[in-house]
Amino acid sequence: SREAIEQETLSSWSQLVVSGSYDHTIRAWDVESADQGGQCLSVMNHGDPVQALVVLPPTASYGRGKASKFDNLPLLVSAGGTTLKIWNPLNGSCLLTFRTMHAKTITSICLLDIPYDEAEDDDNEANRKKRHIMTASLDGLLRIHSISNEDIAAGSLPFLHGMQFSDPLSALAISQDMSRVAIGTTTGIVTVHQRRALLSKQQEVKERKEPRHGTYSYFMRGAHEKAHDPDDYLLLHQKKQKLAEYDSLLRKFRYGDALDKVLQQRQPQVVIAVIEELGKRRGLTIALSNRDEESLEAILSFTIRFIDDPKYSTYLIGVAHILCDIYGSLIGQSSVVDELFSKLRNKVANECSAQRMLLRMLGQIDFCMTTAEIESAEEKTSQSV
């Protein structure tokens, strides 16, 4: 009878075989009754297609802390949809229904069962090692929950840790010593993660001990530390980028000197960039003011050379206006400056003449195109009539 099976010894649980199906059902079989073709002990309904099953062995052999009513029972965990359910396979009763935070179907579950260390004399409940369960889902998440008998009795599986993968997860496997876990994805990639070695208390105290302040060891602490985990990130010290000389002058608000320095490089893109920055800072007028004949010749020559270039004309037209406003009253005092302003005027006049000619040509083209469209429309109208 079922009651007799529930009262058997702890060794009898290993004779159970459980099976899950996409028809939402889970069946527990007693393989000891092989002469009868196997006896079905219970039929359980998960409510979703069953993707994975894990048997939780009895935990009475660990024998630490408070006793639980589930210590002597083999428990069964089923995964279907985004839900985990814990069953008593002997009588088919559902002990816990737990909805995980997965967004898609759970594809695999794995038991991380670490026995208690009997060598340590520690009766503190918080320091006990508990068994965990790992769930993998098509949403790329691997989640680890505590699944001790105390958690099952409390009706919740506390979340402990999670990992996000870029691909959907399809399979989980863990080594016999519980130190390595293999994670398979739907793209065919298998990733293996290894658990860090547990340190003894003496080693932990030794590592936490810091060198005395003011010593060379204190100054050099952590300089030669190596990354223990392949997932750790190594932050490299980036060297401070050396600023160009005109950038340093701009930071010191020496706008005139910055413009003179960049004009010496004879790189129009850089000069225009500095002029644009001066315009944003409202320092272009300051940079062009209080210039002598030599410094004025440099900016005037640059303006004359590139004012008709479409890439730079937008900025240099404004420069030309400011130069005329500041130094227009000084015409006649320097033959060099007068000649440069005369060249600037002729360059602008020639460019304006060319622009007017192009506009007239554009108007003629538009007239021809419009006339051709009207005549074509009249021909179509006459043909239709």
Side-chain angles (χ1 to χ4, degrees):
S1 65
R2 181 174 300 173
E3 291 76 8
I5 295 175
E6 293 182 13
Q7 295 175 0
E8 289 182 0
T9 60
L10 290 175
S11 60
S12 64
W13 73 268
S14 60
Q15 303 299 326
L16 294 178
V17 174
V18 292
S19 60
S21 173
Y22 281 175
D23 63 359
H24 304 188
T25 62
I26 306 166
R27 296 175 183 268
W29 307 84
D30 180 15
V31 296
E32 283 187 339
S33 57
D35 53 343
Q36 302 177 4
Q39 179 184 1
C40 182
L41 301 179
S42 59
V43 179
M44 297 152 277
N45 189 345
H46 184 88
D48 289 294
V50 180
Q51 300 288 341
L53 295 171
V54 165
V55 175
L56 304 181
T59 57
S61 58
Y62 297 154
R64 299 191 61 176
K66 297 181 180 179
S68 172
K69 61 181 180 180
F70 304 122
D71 285 347
N72 297 323
L73 289 177
L75 303 180
L76 177 65
V77 182
S78 62
T82 59
T83 305
L84 294 179
K85 289 190 177 183
I86 301 178
W87 309 84
N88 182 351
L90 301 179
N91 57 20
S93 61
C94 183
L95 306 178
L96 174 64
T97 299
F98 180 74
R99 298 187 179 275
T100 64
M101 297 301 293
H102 287 291
K104 295 184 178 180
T105 302
I106 299 173
T107 56
S108 181
I109 56 178
C110 190
L111 179 64
L112 180 61
D113 196 356
I114 305 177
Y116 301 122
D117 190 356
E118 299 295 341
E120 296 182 5
D121 187 13
D122 189 357
D123 293 333
N124 187 359
E125 182 72 17
N127 295 332
R128 295 174 60 198
K129 299 177 182 177
K130 297 181 179 180
R131 59 170 47 167
H132 311 312
I133 190 167
M134 295 185 291
T135 60
S137 171
L138 293 177
D139 59 4
L141 278 175
L142 185 146
R143 299 174 64 87
I144 302 177
H145 294 268
S146 175
I147 195 169
S148 65
N149 290 342
E150 293 83 355
D151 298 326
I152 297 173
S156 177
L157 304 181
F159 172 72
L160 302 178
H161 182 62
M163 296 176 63
Q164 175 70 56
F165 293 83
S166 58
D167 299 320
L169 305 183
S170 59
L172 281 177
I174 195 166
S175 62
Q176 188 174 2
D177 59 354
M178 305 293 171
S179 62
R180 293 179 179 87
V181 60
I183 305 165
T185 65
T186 56
T187 58
I189 299 176
V190 177
T191 306
V192 179
H193 288 261
Q194 181 172 347
R195 183 167 57 92
R196 291 183 180 180
L198 299 178
L199 301 177
S200 63
K201 293 185 177 181
Q202 294 180 354
Q203 289 176 323
E204 292 179 357
V205 172
K206 184 177 180 181
E207 287 192 357
R208 287 197 298 267
K209 186 178 180 181
E210 293 187 359
R212 185 167 53 87
H213 289 261
T215 61
Y216 178 77
S217 300
Y218 180 81
F219 178 76
M220 295 298 295
R221 68 190 188 284
H224 305 290
E225 185 69 18
K226 296 182 180 179
H228 299 286
D229 196 312
D231 295 332
D232 289 345
Y233 290 94
L234 179 61
L235 299 180
L236 300 178
H237 177 69
Q238 297 181 353
K239 294 183 179 180
K240 187 176 180 181
Q241 186 178 5
K242 185 178 180 180
L243 295 177
E245 192 170 356
Y246 55 84
D247 282 331
S248 300
L249 294 172
L250 284 174
R251 295 185 64 179
K252 297 177 182 178
F253 303 100
R254 296 168 58 181
Y255 297 148
D257 295 338
L259 184 57
D260 291 338
K261 185 59 66 176
V262 76
L263 285 171
Q264 295 176 4
Q265 297 186 3
R266 298 183 179 181
Q267 297 179 2
Q269 297 89 347
V270 181
V271 176
I272 294 300
V274 172
I275 291 175
E276 183 181 6
E277 181 64 24
L278 290 172
K280 293 179 180 179
R281 298 187 180 199
R282 299 181 180 179
L284 186 57
T285 303
I286 299 174
L288 297 175
S289 302
N290 301 322
R291 290 183 169 269
D292 54 13
E293 181 178 330
E294 183 179 357
S295 59
L296 184 59
E297 180 182 359
I299 185 62
L300 276 173
S301 300
F302 180 84
T303 304
I304 294 168
R305 182 177 179 182
F306 296 103
I307 195 171
D308 59 345
D309 193 325
K311 298 192 297 293
Y312 312 130
S313 58
T314 304
Y315 304 98
L316 293 182
I317 289 173
V319 173
H321 279 295
I322 296 175
L323 290 174
C324 292
D325 291 341
I326 297 176
Y327 301 101
S329 60
L330 302 179
I331 299 297
Q333 297 183 9
S334 172
S335 59
V336 177
V337 175
D338 292 348
E339 183 180 358
L340 290 174
F341 272 108
S342 178
K343 290 182 179 180
L344 178 61
R345 182 185 60 186
N346 295 334
K347 192 70 172 288
V348 172
N350 293 335
E351 183 65 22
C352 291
S353 177
Q355 293 292 333
R356 285 193 294 269
M357 185 180 300
L358 291 174
L359 288 174
R360 286 196 296 269
M361 186 179 299
L362 182 61
Q364 294 174 0
I365 294 173
D366 289 341
F367 174 76
C368 294
M369 296 294 294
T370 304
T371 304
E373 290 178 359
I374 294 174
E375 291 178 354
S376 177
E378 291 177 352
E379 290 179 0
K380 291 181 179 178
T381 304
S382 61
Q383 291 177 358
S384 61
V385 172

